[in-house]
Amino acid sequence: MAAAATAMAASRTSFLQLLRPKLLGPSRTFSSFRCCRRPCTLPLLLRRSSSQPAPETLEAPIQGLDSSTRTPNVVDILQERGLIESITSENLRSACSTPAANPLKVYCGFDPTAESLHLGNLLGIIVLSWFQRCGHQAFALIGGATGRVGDPSGKSLERPELDVETVDKNSASIKDLISKILGRRGGNEIAIAGSKNETFLDIGDDKGGKGAFFDSISEDNRSSDESFMILNNYDWWKDITLLEFLREVGRFARVGTMMAKESVKKRLVSEEGMSYTEFTYQLLQGYDFLYLFKNVGVNVQIGGSDQWGNITAGTELIRKILQIEGAFGLTFPLLLKSDGTKFGKSEGGAIWLSASMLSPYKFYQYFFAVPDVDVIRFLKILTFLSMEEIRELEEEMKKPGYVPNTVQRRLAEEVTRFVHGEDGLADALKATEALRPGAETRLDAETIEGISEDVPSCSLAYYQVLNSSLIDLSVSTGLLSTKSAVRRLMKQGGLYLNNKRVDTEEKRVEEADIIDGKILLLSAGKKNKMVVRIS
């Protein structure tokens, strides 16, 4: 009897624990979100309360809707702007046509592999926001479970394993980031599932009404239109056992189909190969879609083009297990430059969306530096400007009197505003002006300190700076390598002290030059800067 009891206990081992045995312990980022397990004909993993009707096949659009009152079709908008790579069915287009009567519920997943999302993730947030703006409900799914396994899509090596504390910390940071970005739409507060003192045991109805799921969220955490929510898949994965998963999900998965996925085929022919843990990832993501479809009424999953195999794994599971149509997938192109290289990488690494990892100033400057050949396409896919306005900007670029980088400035402003808000954009513009050689803006120590992390800096004693030759100071601080280089640049009109051009070799630093008595800004041309802190 004792041996039998031990065997039964072992069978309850969490599926995730078996996949990542080191990652034990509960998630502290989001509250428990359990699947109801009342007796019914559905597989155990998908049982729900009788108050939760199953989502039906998407209804056809209302006939005779006057074109003047018709809400723009989000699929048409995304296609016009170059934001659609593939869709699983053209029926998605008609399903999107009547959001007032039949709003869709759309989700995009974000694995917490770092403390911040990066520019590649921004497209997912933008597409979710387009669905929001067209009257549908958006769901951001944090991969608190799948992030512990690691998506092999687009990767040549298995992702590094993250410990529980790191996953929880990253999940909390990403949740906060997404809530800030999507929550700015219309100035509304947002609904976030995962308040520390709440437990969700039921899910609301599938028609967008205020069912048990939404009722369990306090008014403080609910938007006026409930236009989007943030969930964490660890809340349902942590209680699923390996035996349950194999019996009720795994038996519907065909190994041949799984091996035919592009992400799997590439890894199988590589020297590194693919672990069983990575191989199961597509089923984990597929089950997320199945779970959300059945329990929350989510009927569309979106993702980058490299996610196509994972998304179709979900639509197939829904079709086979629930024997119902109405689940759709949509992918958008990866963010690439015109030369085919990935857009979103800089010399310093990834372009992060979090201000704590990349300042709004640096973020703004990255878009301001976009080449002319890419700027119009990026306006279409990364901003919410109307196509008419974008076409007007494109025409302006062709005119003889066009001021270079005018359109890039508009791109940088729009994307920075979306990601960092009005305050972040204001900080970026202030720093940009402060660092512009020849600018008339009065500099202050606080402004320069604010951008000191984004440009080279050094510290010198007061006596080393006061009355020193500017030529000597330019070399000793590392702005330029030799005195001859300083003199040459000075003759060309490219040497600046506190944004003011210096054209005399006799120039020495005076007390009035030291901003607020503690800082200097040296510039060699437009891009090379040096912040000199004075103690």
Side-chain angles (χ1 to χ4, degrees), residues 92-236:
L92 176 59
R93 193 183 305 272
S94 59
C96 291
S97 61
T98 56
N102 302 301
L104 298 178
K105 293 182 178 180
V106 186
Y107 96 90
C108 185
F110 304 92
D111 276 351
T113 54
E115 284 188 58
S116 171
L117 299 178
H118 53 73
L119 197 54
N121 302 123
L122 183 59
L123 279 182
I125 300 176
I126 287 173
V127 174
L128 281 181
S129 188
W130 272 118
F131 273 95
Q132 270 186 294
R133 292 160 191 255
C134 292
H136 305 284
Q137 187 175 10
F139 289 76
L141 181 64
I142 309 297
T146 45
R148 303 173 190 221
V149 173
D151 185 0
S153 302
K155 298 295 179 181
S156 58
L157 298 173
E158 188 163 3
R159 293 178 184 267
E161 185 175 334
L162 301 177
D163 57 48
V164 173
E165 290 74 18
T166 300
V167 171
D168 285 348
K169 180 181 178 182
N170 293 351
S171 296
S173 298
I174 292 173
K175 181 187 75 170
D176 182 60
L177 176 64
I178 295 174
S179 69
K180 286 179 179 177
I181 295 176
L182 290 181
R184 294 191 188 103
R185 191 188 71 91
N188 291 328
E189 293 299 318
I190 57 162
I192 302 177
S195 174
K196 188 178 294 186
N197 298 321
E198 294 169 343
T199 298
F200 303 112
L201 299 177
D202 272 311
I203 307 297
D205 63 64
D206 304 306
K207 302 294 185 180
K210 297 180 179 179
F213 182 67
F214 296 111
D215 287 342
S216 65
I217 302 173
S218 68
E219 289 293 333
D220 292 338
N221 280 340
R222 183 186 302 157
S223 66
S224 59
D225 59 359
E226 290 170 349
S227 64
F228 85 95
M229 298 188 68
I230 300 176
L231 305 173
N232 188 322
N233 62 11
Y234 187 75
D235 289 335
W236 52 83

Side-chain angles (χ1 to χ4, degrees), residues 317-379:
L317 285 178
I318 291 169
R319 184 179 60 82
K320 291 178 179 179
I321 295 178
L322 300 182
Q323 298 182 2
I324 191 172
E325 301 295 333
F328 301 100
L330 179 153
T331 61
F332 40 82
L334 298 180
L335 198 53
L336 302 176
K337 293 184 283 189
S338 57
D339 61 6
T341 59
K342 185 175 291 186
F343 182 71
K345 297 287 186 181
S346 69
E347 292 180 2
I351 303 301
W352 301 105
L353 304 187
S354 173
S356 64
M357 296 183 69
L358 187 74
S359 72
Y361 163 74
K362 277 278 193 178
F363 187 84
Y364 176 94
Q365 289 298 318
Y366 187 76
F367 288 94
F368 187 75
V370 166
D372 287 350
V373 69
D374 290 320
V375 67
I376 295 299
R377 182 166 58 89
F378 288 161
L379 278 172

Side-chain angles (χ1 to χ4, degrees), residues 236-254:
W236 52 83
W237 273 110
K238 61 183 171 59
D239 294 323
I240 296 175
T241 69
L242 177 60
L243 291 180
E244 288 174 336
F245 183 79
L246 292 177
R247 183 178 66 245
E248 297 167 7
V249 177
R251 66 191 178 93
F252 291 96
R254 313 272 38 102

Side-chain angles (χ1 to χ4, degrees), residues 236-496:
W236 52 83
W237 273 110
K238 61 183 171 59
D239 294 323
I240 296 175
T241 69
L242 177 60
L243 291 180
E244 288 174 336
F245 183 79
L246 292 177
R247 183 178 66 245
E248 297 167 7
V249 177
R251 66 191 178 93
F252 291 96
R254 313 272 38 102
V255 173
T257 302
M258 294 176 67
M259 294 184 67
K261 304 291 186 184
E262 197 63 31
S263 61
V264 175
K265 287 195 296 184
K266 288 182 178 180
R267 287 291 297 278
L268 288 180
V269 298
S270 68
E271 288 187 20
E272 180 69 18
M274 171 176 271
S275 69
Y276 172 73
T277 296
E278 291 181 294
F279 185 62
T280 63
Y281 187 93
Q282 58 183 287
L283 288 184
L284 304 186
Q285 185 169 324
Y287 177 74
D288 282 340
F289 195 4
L290 173 67
Y291 182 92
L292 291 171
F293 182 91
K294 180 60 185 174
N295 292 305
V296 192
V298 170
N299 36 27
V300 182
Q301 181 183 177
I302 65 170
S305 57
D306 59 348
Q307 292 297 305
W308 179 254
N310 295 335
I311 291 174
T312 54
T315 57
E316 282 298 294
L317 285 178
I318 291 169
R319 184 179 60 82
K320 291 178 179 179
I321 295 178
L322 300 182
Q323 298 182 2
I324 191 172
E325 301 295 333
F328 301 100
L330 179 153
T331 61
F332 40 82
L334 298 180
L335 198 53
L336 302 176
K337 293 184 283 189
S338 57
D339 61 6
T341 59
K342 185 175 291 186
F343 182 71
K345 297 287 186 181
S346 69
E347 292 180 2
I351 303 301
W352 301 105
L353 304 187
S354 173
S356 64
M357 296 183 69
L358 187 74
S359 72
Y361 163 74
K362 277 278 193 178
F363 187 84
Y364 176 94
Q365 289 298 318
Y366 187 76
F367 288 94
F368 187 75
V370 166
D372 287 350
V373 69
D374 290 320
V375 67
I376 295 299
R377 182 166 58 89
F378 288 161
L379 278 172
K380 293 176 183 178
I381 64 179
L382 295 174
T383 77
F384 299 90
L385 295 179
S386 69
M387 292 297 291
E388 180 181 2
E389 185 171 359
I390 292 173
R391 283 189 285 268
E392 290 175 358
L393 291 170
E394 187 174 16
E395 289 302 314
E396 286 293 322
M397 293 182 69
K398 300 175 183 177
K399 295 179 179 179
Y402 171 72
V403 178
N405 289 337
T406 299
V407 177
Q408 279 88 341
R409 181 177 294 107
R410 187 63 186 277
L411 171 67
E413 289 176 357
E414 293 297 322
V415 181
T416 304
R417 180 184 291 111
F418 180 67
V419 173
H420 294 290
E422 291 291 350
D423 290 343
L425 175 59
D427 291 342
L429 293 175
K430 184 178 180 181
T432 298
E433 182 66 16
L435 287 173
R436 182 171 63 87
E440 296 299 324
T441 304
R442 181 186 176 278
L443 293 176
D444 57 74
E446 183 180 359
T447 299
I448 297 177
E449 282 288 357
I451 52 105
S452 62
E453 292 184 2
D454 299 317
V455 298
S457 63
C458 65
S459 297
L460 294 175
Y462 193 84
Y463 74 89
Q464 293 176 291
V465 176
L466 188 63
N467 296 322
S468 65
S469 164
L470 187 59
I471 293 178
D472 292 339
L473 189 64
S474 297
V475 175
S476 64
T477 58
L479 178 68
L480 292 167
S481 57
T482 64
K483 292 182 181 181
S484 60
V486 178
R487 292 189 179 96
R488 187 164 52 250
L489 184 65
M490 190 178 289
K491 289 179 181 179
Q492 296 170 351
L495 186 67
Y496 294 83

